[in-house]
Amino acid sequence: MLTVDFSRFPLAPGDRVLDLGCGAGRHAFECYRRGAQVVALDQNAEEIREVAKWFAAMKEAGEAPAGATATAMEGDALALPFPDESFDVVIISEVMEHIPNDKGVLAEMVRVLRPGGRIAVTVPRYGPEKVCWALSDAYHEVEGGHIRIYKADELVGKIKEAGLRPYGSHHAHALHSPYWWLKCAFGVDNDKALPVRAYHKLLVWDIMKKPLATRVAEQALNPVMGKSFVVYATKPHLPGAEAVSDAEVAAK
């Protein structure tokens, strides 16, 4: 399940991609399939080991085209182990809401991104996330949990302050919002509650089968209750290049 829309965030074979806070690796795997030179980085050693195994399995199965490369490594988002301007593309998906120094993370991403490079940032959307927080303290009051809820203009503002030029945004995963509301209502660790189990089966079916009805429904509902907010931006060739307005970003 991808949060970044690659039709809005073009990726060319050979692009050097950093998937920062890669987690289970979903975006890194997609970039690898598209022929990129991918680095998947996370502070969670166990997840990195699993991502490395999947990269190896994909290579063995011939899922990645010739020239594509993939590396999984542990690392600190606030001190990236790469030289300046190392990447053409940086993706950070559902990570910044966990990190106290989010401005520091943005600064590091800008440092390792080449001028003219592209960045995709995704975070939980304000409205659906507020519902989760209201229903359950356990949803966010855990070690490594969510420490903030971004409003759209706040996130876009921080991206601009970091020296990036936003060029588009959208919402994603509307069908997942009710699932998390149910999880919060019945207990975030309670997977046995009937409504939670039933809705989870629906989501798995949707992800595996991609039926037209649910695809159309989600596209219609995303602007209203999409679970994630996604912003795309570029690094200007000249420092201090003027960014587009928030209204222009929201309209694209």
Side-chain angles (χ1 to χ4, degrees):
M1 183 189 72
L2 300 175
T3 306
V4 172
D5 180 352
F6 285 93
S7 69
R8 308 179 194 223
F9 190 66
L11 190 69
D15 275 351
R16 300 163 297 168
V17 178
L18 172 63
D19 185 1
L20 181 56
C22 64
R26 57 202 172 104
H27 289 105
F29 300 149
E30 180 65 19
C31 294
Y32 190 32
R33 291 188 186 98
R34 290 171 179 260
Q37 299 174 12
V38 184
V39 175
L41 183 144
D42 201 285
Q43 67 176 4
N44 187 312
E46 184 176 345
E47 286 194 312
I48 285 298
R49 284 192 292 271
E50 287 300 311
V51 170
K53 290 177 183 178
W54 278 105
F55 278 151
M58 290 172 68
K59 182 178 181 179
E60 181 70 21
E63 289 190 39
T69 62
T71 302
M73 61 185 295
E74 286 184 70
D76 182 353
L78 291 165
L80 295 174
F82 311 112
D84 296 354
E85 302 178 8
S86 296
F87 295 96
D88 304 299
V89 173
V90 177
I91 296 171
I92 184 165
S93 182
E94 312 299 301
V95 173
M96 287 180 55
E97 68 275 9
H98 297 271
I99 301 176
N101 185 8
D102 57 348
K103 290 185 178 181
V105 173
L106 280 168
E108 273 293 89
M109 289 190 289
V110 171
R111 181 184 67 78
V112 302
L113 185 66
R114 69 163 175 82
R118 303 173 304 285
I119 186 169
V121 180
T122 94
V123 298
R125 186 183 187 174
Y126 184 82
E129 186 76 348
K130 284 286 285 186
V131 174
C132 288
W133 283 44
L135 289 171
S136 171
D137 291 337
Y139 171 78
H140 63 97
E141 290 183 355
V142 295
E143 184 178 356
H146 298 184
I147 63 170
R148 69 173 65 82
I149 308 176
Y150 288 100
K151 291 185 176 179
D153 57 354
E154 176 192 3
L155 179 61
V156 171
K158 288 188 176 185
I159 289 171
K160 288 181 178 179
E161 287 175 13
L164 295 165
R165 178 183 171 88
Y167 68 83
S169 66
H170 63 91
H171 299 97
H173 309 319
L175 296 182
H176 288 251
S177 290
Y179 172 71
W180 283 102
W181 296 338
L182 288 170
K183 287 271 287 181
C184 290
F186 286 93
V188 290
D189 296 319
N190 180 11
D191 293 326
K192 295 182 179 180
L194 179 59
V196 174
R197 287 192 289 114
Y199 202 95
H200 183 263
K201 287 183 179 179
L202 170 66
L203 291 180
V204 171
W205 172 76
D206 175 57
I207 291 169
M208 298 301 294
K209 300 296 184 180
K210 297 181 175 60
L212 179 62
T214 55
R215 295 300 85 218
V216 170
E218 184 157 79
Q219 287 298 317
L221 290 170
N222 275 338
V224 180
M225 52 185 277
K227 182 73 170 64
S228 294
F229 177 56
V230 189
V231 181
Y232 305 107
T234 59
K235 180 177 177 178
H237 287 276
L238 298 175
E242 183 180 356
V244 296
S245 70
D246 293 355
E248 289 176 293
V249 171
K252 293 182 179 181

